[in-house]
Amino acid sequence: MHPISPISKINIDGREFFIKRDETIDPYLSGNKYRKLYTLLQTPKENFTTIISYGGTQSNAMLALAAICKSKAWEFIYYTKKISPIIKAQEYGNYYESCSLGMQTIEIEYDLYKEYISGLRLGLDEKTLLIDQGGADVMAKEGLRVLADELREQFKDEKFLGIKAVATPSGTGTTALYLALTLPEYIVYTTPCIGSVTYLREQMQALHSIPKNLIILEPKRKYHFAKLYDEFFEMYKKVKEAGVEFDLLYAPSMWLSLLENTKESVVYIHSGGLSGNRSMLARYKRKR
């Protein structure tokens, strides 16, 4: 049996929101990473010996993969751009935790990174699996089907009868895409947290055509991923004071977009990623 996360209620700016508490599933494998990597989590350890992935050193997917590989005694190799001395020196955060779980890191020069990553699939043996950045893979569909089934069952409760929409922020858009495909009777709101709406659509369309019930909310201004914004920090504090802590990388943009562009009651799918908040909060503290 897989864990079923509860739904709680909070009020933001006089509006009622429901929160699907996926961050409570597991300290390392929580939120949308649990959903996206659900199939890998169910995979017998005999199927693979090595998992390869790539991306940033603040990545929640990186940490989730490190935890899965540790539990299954798989080697985990992670490719990334050159890592700053500050991150290497930290004894907390996603990079530190992933290394503690046995992750092997290979740093690539910035100018060579894109070309190097494009060649990672060449020559892989049958016991080695490559997971694209952020867990953007068709295997994520099964985990999102499980989430959709959970939501349908929970929505039978009379207090959720008026709910017609769910929301989740997007990096690659994998979670929002497959949730919309497996939950066609509900609107699925998302917003791009990495790049533009055009970039997000391209990432989604590489996996599947975008269904009509998936609504991409465009932020009022352009935000650069992982940079510090006062409105993000204020939104983080506002929602935390309402009763639930969210991550500082993805959630603030989604909350701003929901408050600016929607009016109905929404179930927000908590994406997890709280393990990165300590390092982000330290950055905000230095900024102030």
Side-chain angles (χ1 to χ4, degrees):
M1 286 291 292
H2 65 272
I4 298 177
S5 62
I7 297 177
S8 59
K9 182 172 69 174
I10 62 173
N11 284 279
I12 305 293
D13 289 354
R15 286 181 58 184
E16 179 180 84
F17 290 92
F18 294 94
I19 315 297
K20 175 71 167 159
R21 303 296 299 274
D22 272 7
E23 89 282 11
T24 64
I25 292 173
D26 182 274
Y28 293 124
L29 197 68
S30 67
N32 66 338
K33 299 308 179 285
Y34 172 79
R35 305 299 182 178
K36 290 163 73 172
L37 298 172
Y38 178 83
T39 299
L40 187 64
L41 191 62
Q42 309 305 314
T43 300
K45 65 179 181 180
E46 296 79 16
N47 285 24
F48 301 110
T49 59
T50 305
I51 303 297
I52 296 174
S53 192
Y54 58 93
T57 52
Q58 298 285 4
S59 170
N60 298 317
M62 172 189 70
L63 179 56
L65 284 169
I68 292 176
C69 290
K70 176 74 172 179
S71 70
K72 295 182 181 288
W74 293 336
E75 181 181 32
F76 179 39
I77 302 173
Y78 191 75
Y79 293 84
T80 188
K81 295 172 185 175
K82 286 294 183 179
I83 306 170
S84 75
I86 293 176
I87 291 177
K88 285 185 175 181
Q90 287 177 346
E91 295 186 357
Y92 58 87
N94 288 357
Y95 177 72
Y96 173 79
E97 295 289 348
S98 297
C99 290
S100 299
L101 290 167
M103 178 181 74
Q104 299 178 41
T105 307
I106 297 178
E107 298 179 57
I108 309 297
E109 293 291 344
Y110 184 88
D111 292 343
L112 303 176
Y113 182 79
K114 188 173 182 179
E115 181 179 358
Y116 197 97
I117 295 303
S118 67
L120 285 180
R121 278 191 169 80
L122 301 177
L124 296 181
D125 60 50
E126 62 181 13
K127 291 287 188 177
T128 301
L129 177 67
L130 174 66
I131 304 291
D132 283 320
Q133 181 171 351
D137 194 283
V138 293
M139 74 174 183
K141 187 173 183 178
E142 177 60 19
L144 274 303
R145 183 196 63 76
V146 171
L147 172 58
D149 288 345
E150 278 182 37
L151 288 168
R152 285 192 187 95
E153 190 62 32
Q154 290 175 307
F155 287 169
K156 291 179 181 178
D157 190 309
E158 62 180 15
K159 65 176 173 282
F160 303 125
L161 291 181
I163 297 294
K164 299 297 181 185
V166 299
T168 185
S170 282
T172 62
T174 306
T175 299
L177 174 66
Y178 285 127
L179 183 58
L181 287 168
T182 52
L183 201 66
E185 65 270 40
Y186 290 87
I187 293 171
V188 176
Y189 289 119
T190 194
T191 197
C193 299
I194 301 175
S196 64
V197 169
T198 300
Y199 171 80
L200 178 57
R201 286 187 178 276
E202 290 172 353
Q203 295 297 302
M204 290 178 174
Q205 288 169 340
L207 296 171
H208 195 283
S209 58
I210 300 173
K212 292 181 179 179
N213 65 316
L214 177 52
I215 308 298
I216 301 175
L217 304 176
E218 186 161 11
K220 284 189 174 180
R221 59 170 291 193
K222 183 177 180 179
Y223 294 106
H224 296 279
F225 184 67
K227 290 200 173 182
L228 308 184
Y229 297 97
D230 290 339
E231 57 265 46
F232 279 14
F233 188 62
E234 293 305 315
M235 182 56 67
Y236 163 82
K237 290 194 299 180
K238 180 184 291 187
V239 180
K240 186 176 180 182
E241 288 168 2
V244 180
E245 183 178 12
F246 286 83
D247 74 280
L248 273 156
L249 286 173
Y250 294 89
S253 182
M254 185 76 251
W255 278 110
L256 284 170
S257 291
L258 284 174
L259 291 170
E260 291 167 356
N261 298 290
T262 69
K263 294 181 179 180
E264 72 269 44
S265 290
V266 175
V267 175
Y268 189 117
I269 312 300
H270 199 305
S271 297
L274 300 183
S275 57
N277 277 1
R278 181 176 175 183
S279 57
M280 285 296 292
L281 287 169
R283 290 178 62 198
Y284 272 105
K285 184 176 181 180
R286 289 195 296 270
K287 178 186 177 183
R288 292 168 180 266

